[in-house]
Amino acid sequence: MTARDDEFTSATGGGPAGPADAGERNLAPATRSAHAPASPRPAVGHARPHESARAQVAGTATYVDDIPEVKGTLHAAPILSTVPHGRLRGVDTRKAQALPGVRGVVLPRDIPGDPILATFVHDEPIFAIDEVRHVGQVVGLVVADTVMQARRAARQVQLDIEPLPAVLDVRQAHAAQSYVLPPVVVRRGEPEAALAAARHRLAGQLEVGGQEHFYLEGQVAYALPLEQDQWWIHSSTQHPGEVQHWVAHALGLENNAVTVECRRMGGGFGGKETQAGHMAVWAALAARKLKRPVKLRLDRDDDFLVTGKRHPFAYDWEAGFDDDGRLTALKLTMLANCGFSADLSGPVADRAIFHTDNAYYLSDVEIASYRCRTNTQSHTAFRGFGGPQGVILIEAVLGDIARHLGRDPLDVRKANLYGVGERDVTHYRMKVEDNILGPLISQLERSSAYRARRQAIAAWNEGSAVIKRGIAITPVKFGISFTATFFNQAGALVHVFTDGSVQVNHGGTEMGQGLHTKVMQVVADELGVPFERVRCTPTETGKVPNASATAASSGTDLNGRAAQFAARNVRDNLAAFVAGLDGCGAGAVSFRAGQVISPKSTRSFDEVVKAAYANRIQLWSDGFYRTPKIHYDKVTLTGRPFYYFSYGAACSEVAIDTLTGESRLLKVDILHDVGTSLNPAIDLGQIEGGFIQGVGWLTTEQLVWNDKGVLATHAPSTYKIPATGDVPEHFVVELWPEGNREDNVGGSKAVGEPPFMLAISAWEAIRDAVHAARGNASALVAPATAENVLRALDSSCR
């Protein structure tokens, strides 16, 4: 018996083998774990419930506002500007401070660090200083013993504001050259010459509205002062690292003095990528001044008024095309309504440029992007991050071309698709190497019976004077990676405990999308243990530092791969240990179904872990991943900003009432590319949810600012998100059966954002129905509310 054999048997409680067993002295029967049943089925690739599903259904899943409050906790509420633009001459807090329970007021003079938030552009004050720039801008805080005391008192603060002219319209801002960032122009070929030579030309305008995130859990942060000027921040955030940086910057501290924790969010959709940082900074400043823990939770109305939305866009375009509807030239002006500060408007507007092509080759094109400053909330990230605002434009253009030529819009779209081996380079000089658009769209065309349905709809419309129907298939090609290349990195920690249970921590955040579940599946399979043996701990800046936001649909790509590498390091340690015991190569040792198998023996994972610990083998490791191949020039917006593309297509059928403008989504068929699905149940949920959220953006969710700059739609009573009744009975989702051609975790593809843009098929179907009613489909703006549909129907009479 070798020393290593002796150490193994001592650690596991076994004795030396007898002479007859000398050749197999370590071949003990595999033992079943007492902690979870071993399953021969891998964790990855199978539908598994969300890791928090049971707790959420039972009401035991903890969100920030559920955390038991430390004794002495106070509550803060914001003091809000009531005018869109003005000179702030004074703040009178006497009435507020005289109210019961009020402990203090926090204003710019109470900021020990930089009074400007630590954004990339450094253009947004923590509290309004000398000037207010939108209704709802936070001027300061009132802090009281209870939430309601703080909110009532905040409304008693008197602001002395001298009104100044306000810019509330994006076209007005463009005319005044009011921008938060310089314009960007991307150009290929000679679009002017191509337009002049085009057989057909068409021009138009389009207005597309914004969208409120409407996360179920509102914005909230809880700041706890610790010893020696250290801080613990509970934040409902998609980017704990940025919250850490912002809080430290405002407090005048180094980042290592601030720890930010997020167990989960009740939804984010991009609205908690940067703007959760405001809540944390405000709560921390109040806690510092009053030397007490402080929680800040916005009510829904204030959340609407304070936080930014999806960027509304306006467009002017002119296109040249041939008899088949194939584009030969495109000139486009995009006006992004950014609100009063830059926030993430630069990369959002950039991605809108990147996705103006969607699935189509643009030979001669010029896109001029203007990032306009208006006196509204500072608009921010939202699912798709500018991509939807690019995709909807090109789909509208192709729809208008089809109607101009009297052709089927699907035929025009197919004529413009990227090719394979030709017409395969984007307008930003990236080659499309993984193109599956042609076969995917053709398969959906067949499975949805598109041609037969279009004929049936035409017959219906001939016989129906009031109710008109429409149908459309639109595709999506969505680039996956942060366009800011340096964000495409991630870290993770995997710990194996001596009982064989596993814990993983990574820099991504859970907002209901199932990221933790997928990461746990990946780790379970890498170690060959049952999924139930793995737990994911809260995201925390003190464990994985400098983590990127959970955004750009890359959460699993980045964090799943980092966790896989960390688990692989532990597995390699264990494999080397077993190889030493059994006299074989480490590569011959496999891990599956809770067992560790070598050519000479089969042991339970738990046995091996205990023995490895007794032999001082490292049972934890870190993992790091950086996305390969990506690069691009952020000045010219050319290069390879994306690792790969996700594809999909949707067929939507709608009906409109020409007397009321009401619309109804009747049928949806989706074929979507998620690569090799890590968890089909979660992926299907993301596709369905993303699609319906997109339908909301394009049909019911209208943001209305009045002429005084007040957001009039600031509550569920006036802002309408889709309800269960808006989901059609016929809602078929199928997955494209092919793995990712790039080396991604498990052969999978991102799924969070791409399905959102499939909802453009519903908007195009409404335009198809408007055209059938002899309305002006080109006049329909987004969202296609009943009022906007009626305007488009009426515009044909003018």
Coordinates of all heavy atoms in Angstrom, one line a residue, residues 175-253:
A175 N -33.0 70.8 -33.7 CA -32.9 72.1 -34.4 C -32.0 73.1 -33.6 O -31.4 73.9 -34.2 CB -34.3 72.6 -34.5
A176 N -32.1 72.9 -32.3 CA -31.3 73.8 -31.4 C -29.9 73.3 -31.2 O -29.1 74.0 -30.5 CB -32.0 74.0 -30.1
Q177 N -29.5 72.2 -31.8 CA -28.2 71.5 -31.6 C -27.9 71.3 -30.1 O -26.8 71.5 -29.6 CB -27.1 72.3 -32.3 CG -27.2 72.4 -33.8 CD -26.0 73.0 -34.5 OE1 -25.1 73.5 -33.8 NE2 -26.1 73.0 -35.8
S178 N -29.0 70.8 -29.4 CA -28.9 70.5 -28.0 C -28.6 69.0 -27.9 O -29.5 68.2 -28.1 CB -30.2 70.9 -27.3 OG -30.2 70.4 -26.0
Y179 N -27.3 68.7 -27.6 CA -26.9 67.3 -27.5 C -26.2 67.0 -26.2 O -25.5 67.9 -25.7 CB -25.9 67.0 -28.7 CG -26.5 67.4 -30.1 CD1 -25.7 68.2 -30.9 CD2 -27.7 66.9 -30.5 CE1 -26.2 68.5 -32.2 CE2 -28.2 67.2 -31.7 CZ -27.5 68.0 -32.6 OH -28.0 68.4 -33.8
V180 N -26.3 65.8 -25.8 CA -25.5 65.3 -24.6 C -24.2 64.8 -25.0 O -23.3 64.8 -24.2 CB -26.3 64.3 -23.8 CG1 -27.6 64.8 -23.2 CG2 -26.5 63.0 -24.6
L181 N -24.0 64.4 -26.2 CA -22.8 63.9 -26.8 C -22.7 64.3 -28.2 O -23.7 64.6 -28.9 CB -22.8 62.3 -26.7 CG -22.7 61.7 -25.3 CD1 -23.1 60.3 -25.3 CD2 -21.3 61.9 -24.7
P182 N -21.5 64.3 -28.8 CA -21.4 64.7 -30.2 C -22.1 63.7 -31.1 O -22.2 62.5 -30.8 CB -19.8 64.6 -30.5 CG -19.2 64.7 -29.1 CD -20.2 64.0 -28.2
P183 N -22.5 64.1 -32.3 CA -23.1 63.2 -33.3 C -22.1 62.2 -33.8 O -20.9 62.4 -33.7 CB -23.6 64.2 -34.4 CG -23.7 65.5 -33.8 CD -22.6 65.5 -32.7
V184 N -22.7 61.1 -34.3 CA -21.8 60.0 -34.9 C -22.4 59.7 -36.2 O -23.6 59.6 -36.4 CB -21.9 58.8 -34.0 CG1 -21.2 57.6 -34.7 CG2 -21.2 59.0 -32.6
V185 N -21.5 59.6 -37.2 CA -21.9 59.2 -38.6 C -21.2 58.0 -39.0 O -20.0 57.9 -38.9 CB -21.7 60.4 -39.6 CG1 -22.1 60.0 -41.0 CG2 -22.4 61.6 -39.1
V186 N -21.9 57.0 -39.5 CA -21.3 55.8 -40.0 C -21.8 55.7 -41.5 O -22.9 55.9 -41.8 CB -21.8 54.5 -39.3 CG1 -21.4 53.2 -40.0 CG2 -21.3 54.5 -37.8
R187 N -20.8 55.4 -42.3 CA -21.0 55.5 -43.8 C -20.3 54.4 -44.5 O -19.2 54.0 -44.1 CB -20.5 56.9 -44.3 CG -20.7 57.1 -45.8 CD -20.2 58.5 -46.1 NE -20.2 58.8 -47.5 CZ -21.2 59.4 -48.2 NH1 -22.3 59.8 -47.5 NH2 -21.2 59.5 -49.5
R188 N -21.0 53.8 -45.5 CA -20.3 52.8 -46.4 C -20.8 53.1 -47.8 O -22.0 53.4 -48.1 CB -20.7 51.4 -46.0 CG -20.1 50.4 -47.1 CD -20.1 49.0 -46.6 NE -21.4 48.4 -46.5 CZ -21.6 47.1 -46.1 NH1 -20.6 46.3 -45.8 NH2 -22.8 46.6 -46.0
G189 N -19.8 53.0 -48.8 CA -20.2 53.2 -50.2 C -20.5 54.7 -50.5 O -20.1 55.6 -49.8
E190 N -21.3 54.9 -51.5 CA -21.7 56.2 -52.0 C -23.2 56.3 -52.0 O -23.9 56.1 -53.1 CB -21.1 56.5 -53.3 CG -19.6 56.5 -53.4 CD -19.0 57.7 -52.5 OE1 -19.7 58.7 -52.4 OE2 -17.9 57.5 -52.1
P191 N -23.9 56.5 -50.9 CA -25.3 56.5 -50.8 C -26.0 57.5 -51.7 O -27.1 57.3 -52.3 CB -25.7 56.6 -49.4 CG -24.5 57.2 -48.7 CD -23.3 56.7 -49.5
E192 N -25.4 58.7 -51.8 CA -26.0 59.8 -52.6 C -26.0 59.3 -54.1 O -27.1 59.5 -54.8 CB -25.2 61.1 -52.5 CG -25.3 61.7 -51.1 CD -24.3 61.1 -50.1 OE1 -23.4 60.3 -50.6 OE2 -24.3 61.5 -48.9
A193 N -24.9 58.8 -54.6 CA -24.9 58.4 -56.0 C -25.8 57.2 -56.2 O -26.5 57.1 -57.2 CB -23.4 58.0 -56.4
A194 N -25.9 56.3 -55.2 CA -26.7 55.1 -55.4 C -28.2 55.6 -55.3 O -29.0 55.0 -56.1 CB -26.4 54.1 -54.2
L195 N -28.5 56.6 -54.5 CA -29.9 57.1 -54.6 C -30.3 57.7 -55.9 O -31.3 57.4 -56.5 CB -30.1 58.1 -53.5 CG -30.4 57.6 -52.1 CD1 -30.4 58.8 -51.1 CD2 -31.8 57.0 -52.0
A196 N -29.3 58.4 -56.4 CA -29.6 59.1 -57.7 C -29.8 58.1 -58.8 O -30.6 58.3 -59.8 CB -28.4 60.0 -58.1
A197 N -29.1 56.9 -58.7 CA -29.2 55.9 -59.8 C -30.3 54.9 -59.5 O -30.5 54.0 -60.3 CB -27.8 55.2 -59.9
A198 N -31.0 55.0 -58.4 CA -32.0 53.9 -58.0 C -33.2 53.9 -58.9 O -33.6 55.0 -59.4 CB -32.4 54.2 -56.5
R199 N -33.7 52.8 -59.2 CA -34.9 52.6 -60.0 C -36.1 53.2 -59.3 O -37.0 53.8 -59.9 CB -35.1 51.2 -60.4 CG -36.3 51.0 -61.4 CD -36.3 49.6 -61.9 NE -37.4 49.3 -62.8 CZ -37.5 49.7 -64.1 NH1 -36.4 50.3 -64.6 NH2 -38.5 49.4 -64.8
H200 N -36.1 53.0 -58.0 CA -37.2 53.5 -57.2 C -36.7 54.2 -56.0 O -35.6 53.8 -55.5 CB -38.1 52.4 -56.7 CG -38.7 51.5 -57.8 ND1 -39.9 51.9 -58.5 CD2 -38.3 50.3 -58.3 CE1 -40.2 51.0 -59.3 NE2 -39.3 50.0 -59.3
R201 N -37.4 55.3 -55.5 CA -36.9 56.0 -54.3 C -38.2 56.2 -53.4 O -39.3 56.4 -53.9 CB -36.3 57.3 -54.7 CG -35.0 57.2 -55.4 CD -34.4 58.5 -55.9 NE -34.0 59.4 -54.8 CZ -33.3 60.5 -55.0 NH1 -32.9 60.8 -56.2 NH2 -33.0 61.3 -54.0
L202 N -37.9 56.2 -52.1 CA -39.0 56.4 -51.2 C -38.4 57.1 -50.0 O -37.3 56.8 -49.6 CB -39.6 55.1 -50.8 CG -41.0 55.1 -50.1 CD1 -42.1 55.7 -51.1 CD2 -41.4 53.6 -49.8
A203 N -39.1 58.0 -49.3 CA -38.7 58.7 -48.2 C -39.8 58.7 -47.1 O -40.9 58.6 -47.4 CB -38.2 60.1 -48.5
G204 N -39.4 58.9 -45.9 CA -40.4 58.9 -44.8 C -39.8 59.3 -43.5 O -38.6 59.6 -43.3
Q205 N -40.7 59.4 -42.5 CA -40.4 59.7 -41.1 C -41.0 58.7 -40.2 O -42.0 58.0 -40.6 CB -40.8 61.1 -40.7 CG -40.2 62.3 -41.4 CD -40.6 63.6 -40.9 OE1 -41.8 63.8 -40.5 NE2 -39.7 64.6 -40.8
L206 N -40.5 58.5 -39.0 CA -41.0 57.6 -38.1 C -40.8 58.1 -36.7 O -39.7 58.7 -36.4 CB -40.4 56.2 -38.2 CG -40.8 55.1 -37.3 CD1 -42.3 54.8 -37.4 CD2 -40.0 53.8 -37.4
E207 N -41.7 58.0 -35.8 CA -41.6 58.3 -34.4 C -41.9 57.1 -33.6 O -42.9 56.4 -33.8 CB -42.6 59.4 -34.0 CG -42.7 60.6 -34.9 CD -41.5 61.5 -34.7 OE1 -41.0 61.6 -33.6 OE2 -41.1 62.2 -35.7
V208 N -40.9 56.7 -32.7 CA -41.0 55.6 -31.8 C -40.9 56.0 -30.4 O -39.9 56.7 -30.0 CB -40.0 54.5 -32.2 CG1 -40.0 53.3 -31.2 CG2 -40.2 54.0 -33.6
G209 N -41.8 55.6 -29.6 CA -41.9 56.1 -28.2 C -40.9 55.3 -27.3 O -40.3 54.3 -27.7
G210 N -40.8 55.8 -26.1 CA -40.0 55.1 -25.1 C -40.8 54.0 -24.4 O -41.8 53.6 -24.8
Q211 N -40.3 53.6 -23.2 CA -40.9 52.5 -22.5 C -40.4 52.6 -21.0 O -39.3 52.7 -20.7 CB -40.6 51.2 -23.1 CG -41.4 50.0 -22.5 CD -41.1 48.7 -23.2 OE1 -40.0 48.5 -23.8 NE2 -42.0 47.7 -23.1
E212 N -41.4 52.5 -20.1 CA -41.1 52.4 -18.7 C -40.7 51.0 -18.3 O -41.4 50.0 -18.8 CB -42.3 52.8 -17.9 CG -42.3 52.5 -16.4 CD -41.2 53.1 -15.6 OE1 -40.7 54.2 -15.9 OE2 -40.7 52.4 -14.6
H213 N -39.7 50.8 -17.5 CA -39.3 49.4 -17.1 C -40.3 48.6 -16.4 O -40.5 47.4 -16.5 CB -38.0 49.5 -16.3 CG -36.9 50.2 -17.1 ND1 -36.7 51.5 -17.1 CD2 -35.9 49.7 -17.8 CE1 -35.6 51.8 -17.8 NE2 -35.1 50.7 -18.3
F214 N -41.0 49.3 -15.5 CA -42.1 48.7 -14.7 C -41.7 47.4 -14.1 O -42.4 46.4 -14.1 CB -43.4 48.5 -15.5 CG -44.6 48.8 -14.8 CD1 -45.3 50.0 -15.0 CD2 -45.1 48.0 -13.8 CE1 -46.5 50.3 -14.3 CE2 -46.2 48.2 -13.1 CZ -46.9 49.4 -13.3
Y215 N -40.5 47.3 -13.5 CA -40.1 46.2 -12.7 C -41.0 46.0 -11.5 O -41.5 47.0 -11.0 CB -38.7 46.4 -12.2 CG -38.2 47.8 -12.2 CD1 -38.8 48.8 -11.4 CD2 -37.2 48.2 -13.0 CE1 -38.4 50.1 -11.4 CE2 -36.8 49.6 -13.0 CZ -37.4 50.5 -12.2 OH -37.0 51.8 -12.2
L216 N -41.3 44.8 -11.1 CA -42.3 44.6 -10.0 C -41.7 45.2 -8.7 O -42.4 45.7 -7.9 CB -42.6 43.1 -9.9 CG -43.5 42.5 -11.0 CD1 -43.7 41.1 -10.7 CD2 -44.8 43.3 -11.1
E217 N -40.4 44.9 -8.5 CA -39.7 45.5 -7.3 C -39.2 46.9 -7.8 O -38.3 47.0 -8.6 CB -38.6 44.6 -6.8 CG -37.8 45.2 -5.7 CD -36.4 44.7 -5.6 OE1 -35.8 44.3 -6.6 OE2 -35.8 44.6 -4.4
G218 N -39.6 47.9 -7.1 CA -39.1 49.3 -7.5 C -37.7 49.5 -7.0 O -37.0 48.6 -6.5
Q219 N -37.2 50.7 -7.3 CA -35.8 51.1 -7.0 C -35.7 51.2 -5.5 O -36.5 51.8 -4.8 CB -35.5 52.4 -7.6 CG -35.5 52.4 -9.1 CD -34.2 51.9 -9.7 OE1 -33.3 51.4 -9.0 NE2 -34.0 52.0 -11.0
V220 N -34.7 50.5 -4.9 CA -34.5 50.5 -3.5 C -33.0 50.3 -3.1 O -32.3 49.5 -3.8 CB -35.4 49.4 -2.8 CG1 -35.1 48.0 -3.4 CG2 -35.3 49.4 -1.3
A221 N -32.6 50.9 -2.0 CA -31.3 50.6 -1.5 C -31.3 50.8 0.0 O -32.1 51.5 0.6 CB -30.2 51.6 -2.1
Y222 N -30.4 50.1 0.7 CA -30.3 50.1 2.1 C -28.9 50.2 2.5 O -28.1 49.3 2.2 CB -30.9 48.8 2.7 CG -31.1 48.7 4.2 CD1 -31.1 49.8 5.0 CD2 -31.2 47.4 4.8 CE1 -31.2 49.7 6.4 CE2 -31.3 47.3 6.1 CZ -31.3 48.4 7.0 OH -31.5 48.3 8.3
A223 N -28.5 51.4 3.1 CA -27.1 51.7 3.4 C -26.8 51.5 4.9 O -27.5 52.1 5.7 CB -26.8 53.1 3.0
L224 N -25.8 50.7 5.2 CA -25.5 50.4 6.6 C -24.0 50.9 6.9 O -23.1 50.3 6.3 CB -25.6 49.0 7.0 CG -27.0 48.4 7.0 CD1 -27.4 47.9 5.7 CD2 -27.1 47.2 8.0
P225 N -23.9 51.9 7.8 CA -22.5 52.3 8.1 C -21.9 51.2 9.0 O -22.5 50.7 9.9 CB -22.7 53.6 8.8 CG -24.1 53.6 9.3 CD -24.9 52.7 8.4
L226 N -20.6 50.9 8.8 CA -19.9 49.9 9.6 C -18.7 50.6 10.3 O -18.6 51.9 10.2 CB -19.3 48.8 8.7 CG -20.3 48.1 7.8 CD1 -19.6 47.1 6.9 CD2 -21.4 47.4 8.6
E227 N -17.9 49.9 11.0 CA -16.8 50.5 11.7 C -15.7 51.0 10.7 O -15.6 50.6 9.6 CB -16.1 49.4 12.6 CG -15.5 48.2 11.8 CD -14.7 47.3 12.7 OE1 -13.5 47.6 12.8 OE2 -15.3 46.3 13.2
Q228 N -15.0 52.0 11.2 CA -13.8 52.5 10.5 C -14.2 53.0 9.1 O -13.4 52.9 8.1 CB -12.7 51.5 10.4 CG -12.2 51.0 11.7 CD -11.1 49.9 11.6 OE1 -10.0 50.2 11.2 NE2 -11.4 48.7 12.0
D229 N -15.3 53.7 9.0 CA -15.8 54.4 7.8 C -15.9 53.4 6.7 O -15.6 53.7 5.5 CB -14.9 55.5 7.4 CG -15.6 56.6 6.7 OD1 -16.9 56.6 6.6 OD2 -15.0 57.5 6.2
Q230 N -16.4 52.2 7.0 CA -16.7 51.2 5.9 C -18.2 51.1 5.8 O -19.0 51.5 6.7 CB -16.1 49.8 6.3 CG -14.6 49.8 6.3 CD -14.1 48.5 6.7 OE1 -14.0 47.6 5.9 NE2 -13.7 48.3 7.9
W231 N -18.7 50.6 4.6 CA -20.1 50.6 4.3 C -20.5 49.3 3.7 O -19.8 48.7 2.9 CB -20.4 51.8 3.3 CG -20.2 53.1 4.0 CD1 -19.0 53.7 4.1 CD2 -21.1 53.9 4.6 NE1 -19.1 54.9 4.8 CE2 -20.5 55.1 5.1 CE3 -22.5 53.8 4.7 CZ2 -21.2 56.1 5.7 CZ3 -23.2 54.8 5.4 CH2 -22.5 56.0 5.9
W232 N -21.8 48.9 4.1 CA -22.4 47.7 3.4 C -23.7 48.2 2.8 O -24.5 48.8 3.5 CB -22.7 46.7 4.5 CG -23.0 45.3 3.8 CD1 -24.2 45.0 3.3 CD2 -22.1 44.3 3.6 NE1 -24.1 43.7 2.7 CE2 -22.8 43.2 2.9 CE3 -20.8 44.0 4.0 CZ2 -22.2 42.0 2.6 CZ3 -20.2 42.8 3.6 CH2 -20.9 41.8 3.0
I233 N -23.8 48.0 1.5 CA -25.0 48.5 0.7 C -25.7 47.4 0.2 O -25.2 46.6 -0.6 CB -24.5 49.5 -0.4 CG1 -23.5 50.5 0.1 CG2 -25.7 50.1 -1.1 CD1 -24.1 51.6 1.0
H234 N -27.0 47.2 0.6 CA -27.9 46.3 -0.1 C -28.6 47.1 -1.2 O -29.2 48.1 -1.0 CB -29.0 45.8 0.9 CG -28.4 44.9 1.9 ND1 -28.1 43.6 1.8 CD2 -28.1 45.2 3.3 CE1 -27.6 43.1 2.9 NE2 -27.6 44.0 3.8
S235 N -28.4 46.6 -2.4 CA -28.9 47.4 -3.6 C -29.6 46.4 -4.6 O -29.1 45.3 -4.9 CB -27.7 48.1 -4.3 OG -28.2 48.7 -5.5
S236 N -30.7 46.9 -5.1 CA -31.4 46.1 -6.1 C -30.8 46.6 -7.5 O -31.3 47.6 -8.1 CB -32.9 46.4 -6.1 OG -33.6 45.7 -7.1
T237 N -29.7 46.0 -7.9 CA -28.9 46.6 -9.0 C -28.4 45.5 -9.9 O -28.1 44.3 -9.5 CB -27.7 47.3 -8.4 OG1 -26.9 47.8 -9.5 CG2 -26.9 46.5 -7.5
Q238 N -28.3 45.8 -11.2 CA -27.7 44.9 -12.2 C -26.2 45.1 -12.2 O -25.5 44.3 -12.9 CB -28.3 45.2 -13.5 CG -29.8 44.9 -13.7 CD -30.3 45.4 -15.0 OE1 -31.3 46.2 -15.1 NE2 -29.8 44.9 -16.1
H239 N -25.7 46.1 -11.5 CA -24.3 46.3 -11.5 C -23.7 46.7 -10.2 O -23.4 47.9 -9.9 CB -24.0 47.5 -12.6 CG -22.6 47.5 -13.0 ND1 -22.2 48.4 -14.0 CD2 -21.5 46.8 -12.7 CE1 -20.9 48.2 -14.2 NE2 -20.4 47.3 -13.4
P240 N -23.5 45.8 -9.3 CA -23.0 46.1 -7.9 C -21.7 46.8 -8.0 O -21.4 47.7 -7.1 CB -22.9 44.7 -7.3 CG -23.9 43.9 -8.0 CD -23.9 44.3 -9.4
G241 N -20.8 46.5 -8.9 CA -19.5 47.1 -9.0 C -19.6 48.6 -9.2 O -18.8 49.4 -8.7
E242 N -20.6 49.0 -10.1 CA -20.7 50.4 -10.3 C -21.4 51.1 -9.1 O -21.0 52.3 -8.8 CB -21.6 50.6 -11.6 CG -21.8 52.1 -12.0 CD -22.3 52.2 -13.4 OE1 -23.5 52.0 -13.5 OE2 -21.6 52.6 -14.3
V243 N -22.3 50.5 -8.5 CA -22.9 51.0 -7.2 C -21.7 51.3 -6.2 O -21.7 52.3 -5.6 CB -23.9 50.1 -6.7 CG1 -24.4 50.6 -5.3 CG2 -25.2 50.1 -7.6
Q244 N -20.9 50.3 -6.1 CA -19.7 50.4 -5.2 C -18.9 51.7 -5.5 O -18.6 52.5 -4.7 CB -18.9 49.2 -5.3 CG -17.6 49.2 -4.4 CD -16.6 48.1 -4.8 OE1 -16.5 47.8 -6.0 NE2 -15.9 47.6 -3.8
H245 N -18.6 51.8 -6.8 CA -17.8 52.9 -7.3 C -18.5 54.3 -7.0 O -17.9 55.2 -6.6 CB -17.4 52.7 -8.7 CG -16.7 53.9 -9.3 ND1 -15.5 54.4 -8.8 CD2 -16.9 54.6 -10.5 CE1 -15.1 55.4 -9.5 NE2 -15.9 55.5 -10.6
W246 N -19.8 54.3 -7.4 CA -20.5 55.6 -7.2 C -20.6 56.0 -5.7 O -20.4 57.2 -5.4 CB -21.9 55.4 -7.8 CG -22.0 55.5 -9.3 CD1 -21.0 55.3 -10.2 CD2 -23.1 55.8 -10.1 NE1 -21.4 55.4 -11.4 CE2 -22.7 55.8 -11.4 CE3 -24.4 56.1 -9.7 CZ2 -23.6 56.0 -12.5 CZ3 -25.4 56.4 -10.8 CH2 -24.9 56.3 -12.1
V247 N -20.9 55.0 -4.9 CA -21.0 55.4 -3.4 C -19.7 55.8 -2.9 O -19.6 56.8 -2.2 CB -21.6 54.1 -2.6 CG1 -21.5 54.4 -1.1 CG2 -23.0 53.8 -3.0
A248 N -18.6 55.1 -3.2 CA -17.3 55.5 -2.7 C -16.9 56.9 -3.2 O -16.4 57.7 -2.5 CB -16.3 54.5 -3.1
H249 N -17.2 57.2 -4.4 CA -16.9 58.5 -5.1 C -17.7 59.6 -4.4 O -17.1 60.7 -4.1 CB -17.3 58.4 -6.5 CG -16.9 59.6 -7.4 ND1 -15.7 59.8 -7.8 CD2 -17.7 60.6 -7.8 CE1 -15.6 60.9 -8.5 NE2 -16.8 61.4 -8.6
A250 N -18.9 59.4 -4.0 CA -19.7 60.4 -3.4 C -19.3 60.6 -1.9 O -19.4 61.7 -1.4 CB -21.2 60.0 -3.4
L251 N -18.9 59.5 -1.3 CA -18.5 59.6 0.1 C -17.0 60.1 0.3 O -16.5 60.3 1.4 CB -18.7 58.3 0.8 CG -20.1 57.8 1.0 CD1 -20.2 56.4 1.6 CD2 -21.0 58.8 1.7
G252 N -16.3 60.2 -0.8 CA -14.9 60.5 -0.8 C -14.0 59.4 -0.2 O -13.0 59.7 0.4
L253 N -14.4 58.2 -0.5 CA -13.6 57.0 0.0 C -13.1 56.2 -1.2 O -13.4 56.4 -2.3 CB -14.6 56.1 0.8 CG -15.3 56.7 2.0 CD1 -16.3 55.8 2.5 CD2 -14.2 57.1 3.1

